[in-house]
Structures are given as C-alpha cells and as structure tokens.
C-alpha cells in the first residue's frame, strides 16, 4: 500500500519579502539622470532655458527635481515600514505590540487599547501612510498649471505683438517673425516641460500610493490575526 503525504503549502515554506520599492526608485532615478545628461550633451537644456525669458521652465524643472528626491526618501521610508511589519508577522502573536516599531506597531497598540472610536486606529494609520502623498499630488498638479501659465503668457505676448502691427512691411518681416516666434516658444515649451514633469512624477506617486495601500492592508490583516485568539476565547463554551 502506497502511503500518501499531503503537500505543504508553498506560501508557508518561504516567508514573504518586502518589495524593493527603494531600488525601483533608484533605477528610475538613474534613468532620469542619464536622460538629463544626454539632453545636456545635445544642447536641449540650453535651448529650453534660452527660449523661455519668463523662467517658468526652470521653475518647473526645479519643482520636479525636488519632488522626485522626496519620492525617493518616501519610498525608502515605506519600504522600511513594511520590513518592520513583516518582522512582526514572522514573530507571530508572541511578539507584543509594545515591541513593534513603526506605523504597524502604533496601529496594533491602538487596536489593543480598544478605543471608543473603532475607526480611529485605521484613520491614524492612513494619515501616516497616505497623508504626505496628498501634498505631493498637489505639487504634481502645480507643474501642469505652471506649464499652462506659460502657455497663456506666450500667447499673450504673441497677441500683443500682433496688436502692435501697424501694417506689413517687408523690411521688418524678419524682426516681426522673431518676435512672434518668441511668444510661441514660451507657450509651447513651458507646456511641454510641464506635461512631461507631470507624467513622470505622477508615475512615481502612483507607485507610492499602491505600495502604501498594500501596507495598510497588511497591517489590517495582522490586526485581525492577532485578534482571532481573543475572539475564539470569547465564543468558547468553557
């Protein structure tokens, strides 16, 4: 008679690992640095900054660089918080909430305190994990608005130049075309830089939001797992 040995679940044989969010951002940052260097070698930066006398293009670039560096710091913090949570899950129910660091520890301690407002622990966890992202999304929208502002300024300059035309003089056509091209350059270049910055920063913030969503969900699962033994004792006939 051939014996039958039940197979162990694959998930139990290997503990879950934290996603390498920090290294993903480093890879994206390396690509952005290489792209910036390539644009500098090709003279694109000089063209963009020289064609925009308003300075809005430079402002958009500085906002994007600052927000990207913040995204890198935020990705490192989120990854560290998830590592602390996974360490708590590996420790099992034996690990006391007082010994757990980070947002997960604060959330589990708040649940253990049994507050009158049952949703307060989750609200505090969401504020810690998602609160700063709202400001980052607002900054992301600022890039697009600055690009649209440059577009309005550019077309306003173009309209003023056309309004000052008293008549068409072939001798002044070159100077006139130069003035009209300056207005179009401001309008198109600032809009393009704002759109590119909005797309690239939005990609980073979307990844941060999804990682934070999973972190909150895992914290809730850990809280439910720790509350299950207590609930089983309450319903036990003994």
């Amino acid at each position: 008679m051939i014996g039958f040995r039940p197979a162990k679940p694959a998930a139990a044989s290997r503990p879950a690992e934290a996603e390498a969010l920090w290294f993903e951002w480093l890879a994206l940052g390396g690509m952005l640095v290489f792209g910036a260097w390539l644009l500098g070698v090709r003279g694109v930066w000089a063209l963009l900054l020289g064609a925009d006398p308003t300075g809005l293009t430079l402002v958009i670039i500085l906002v994007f660089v600052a927000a990207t560096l913040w995204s890198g710091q935020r990705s490192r913090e989120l990854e560290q918080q998830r590592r602390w949570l996974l360490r708590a899950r590996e420790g099992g129910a034996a690990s006391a909430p007082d010994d757990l660091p980070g947002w997960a520890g604060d959330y589990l301690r708040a649940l253990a305190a049994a507050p009158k407002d049952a949703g307060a622990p989750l609200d505090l966890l969401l504020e810690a994990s998602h609160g700063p992202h709202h400001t980052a999304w607002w900054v992301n929208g600022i890039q697009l608005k600055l690009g649209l502002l440059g577009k309005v300024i550019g077309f306003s300059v173009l309209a003023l130049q056309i309004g000052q035309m008293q008549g068409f003089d072939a001798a002044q056509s070159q100077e006139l075309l130069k003035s009209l091209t300056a207005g179009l350059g401001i309008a198109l270049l600032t809009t393009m830089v704002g759109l590119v910055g909005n797309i690239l920063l939005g990609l980073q913030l979307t990844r941060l939001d999804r990682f934070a969503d999973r972190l909150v969900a895992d914290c809730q699962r850990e809280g439910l797992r720790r509350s299950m033994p207590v609930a089983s004792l309450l319903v036990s006939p003994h």
Side-chain angles (χ1 to χ4, degrees):
M1 181 177 181
I2 301 176
F4 176 75
R5 179 180 299 176
K8 295 182 179 180
S13 60
R14 184 176 56 185
E17 297 181 357
E19 299 178 41
L21 182 64
W22 167 245
F23 290 104
E24 290 180 9
W25 180 86
L26 286 178
L28 178 61
M31 294 176 59
L32 292 177
V33 170
F34 174 76
W37 172 80
L38 187 60
L39 292 177
V41 172
R42 298 292 183 178
V44 177
W45 292 124
L47 176 62
L48 290 176
L49 299 178
D52 181 18
T54 64
L56 287 175
T57 300
L58 179 60
V59 173
I60 295 173
I61 293 173
L62 293 178
V63 169
F64 174 76
V65 171
T68 299
L69 293 177
W70 178 87
S71 299
Q73 183 272 335
R74 185 66 177 176
S75 64
R76 189 172 186 178
E77 182 179 6
L78 287 174
E79 184 176 342
Q80 181 61 47
Q81 294 291 337
R82 183 169 173 80
R83 289 186 185 278
W84 283 337
L85 174 61
L86 293 180
R87 190 182 308 169
R89 293 173 62 181
E90 292 175 2
S95 58
D98 295 337
D99 301 332
L100 301 179
W103 305 335
D106 295 338
Y107 174 71
L108 295 177
R109 283 189 291 270
L111 287 180
K116 294 183 180 180
D117 186 2
L122 179 59
D123 292 339
L124 294 176
L125 178 62
L126 289 173
E127 174 61 27
S129 61
H130 292 77
H133 298 182
H134 297 296
T135 304
W137 278 109
W138 180 82
V139 173
N140 189 37
I142 284 296
Q143 296 182 111
L144 190 59
K145 292 179 175 62
L146 287 175
L148 294 177
L149 178 61
K151 184 176 182 178
V152 172
I153 293 175
F155 280 110
S156 298
V157 172
L158 179 61
L160 291 175
Q161 294 293 335
I162 295 177
Q164 292 177 357
M165 293 177 57
Q166 300 297 330
F168 182 77
D169 188 0
Q172 300 178 351
S173 60
Q174 185 175 1
E175 187 67 24
L176 178 61
L177 289 176
K178 184 178 180 180
S179 301
L180 296 179
T181 305
L184 287 176
I186 296 173
L188 298 179
L189 291 179
T190 53
T191 305
M192 180 192 66
V193 174
L195 286 174
V196 172
N198 181 267
I199 293 172
L200 293 178
L201 184 57
L203 177 64
Q204 300 177 61
L205 296 179
T206 301
R207 185 69 181 95
L208 291 178
D209 282 343
R210 291 302 303 148
F211 193 91
D213 290 340
R214 292 193 59 183
L215 177 61
V216 171
D218 289 339
C219 288
Q220 290 182 295
R221 292 190 187 98
E222 181 65 16
L224 291 175
R225 186 177 67 84
R226 288 172 178 266
S227 63
M228 285 178 61
V230 178
S232 61
L233 291 176
L234 293 176
V235 300
S236 175
H238 300 287

